[in-house]
Amino acid sequence: DALDPERLIQCPLVKHHRIRARRFPYHLVKCKESNPEIAKKLATCPFNARHLVPQADLSDHIMKCNDKAFMEQDVVSRSCEPLQEQLNNGSTWQAPPCDEDWET
């Protein structure tokens, strides 16, 4: 199951590292620091920071990345909303009335 936080994922930097999905983002940070020479050769996917691919393969990965569909779907659904509705989806918080008079 792709959403299982306990599933094991292979590290893209060191192939014999197998990390639980819930710890994977933390592992990537540490592993990049521990292996800077390997990390320099990898590029990060613009759709999912957990995808590290060889720099030469990045454009191919971008074309095939499964997470690209989620991003495109979000962009399309937002562009279909009327502009005023998009603006209304912002914060509706208003400051409460103030009874203090600093001049007195």
Side-chain angles (χ1 to χ4, degrees):
D1 180 18
L3 300 176
D4 180 11
E6 297 300 318
R7 78 182 189 288
L8 293 175
I9 300 175
Q10 183 178 10
C11 174
L13 288 106
V14 180
K15 299 300 181 191
H16 67 269
H17 289 176
R18 303 218 5 111
I19 305 92
R20 299 214 183 277
R22 63 186 165 88
R23 298 288 311 154
F24 193 68
Y26 307 106
H27 174 81
L28 281 181
V29 171
K30 289 291 201 179
C31 206
K32 281 182 185 179
E33 290 172 0
S34 300
N35 301 286
E37 291 302 313
I38 297 172
K40 275 195 294 190
K41 297 175 185 175
L42 298 176
T44 303
C45 171
F47 305 112
N48 186 335
R50 295 177 183 189
H51 297 168
L52 296 177
V53 296
Q55 289 181 354
D57 298 341
L58 182 61
S59 60
D60 186 49
H61 173 81
I62 289 172
M63 296 300 291
K64 297 176 181 175
C65 182
N66 291 335
D67 293 326
K68 177 176 147 180
F70 295 117
M71 186 74 77
E72 289 173 342
Q73 184 179 21
D74 186 48
V75 168
V76 168
S77 68
R78 286 187 180 271
S79 67
C80 292
E81 292 179 16
L83 181 59
Q84 188 58 42
E85 188 176 322
Q86 289 180 26
L87 293 174
N88 290 341
N89 288 341
S91 175
T92 58
W93 183 84
Q94 293 180 353
C98 181
D99 295 333
E100 296 178 350
D101 183 2
W102 287 63
E103 301 299 322
T104 58

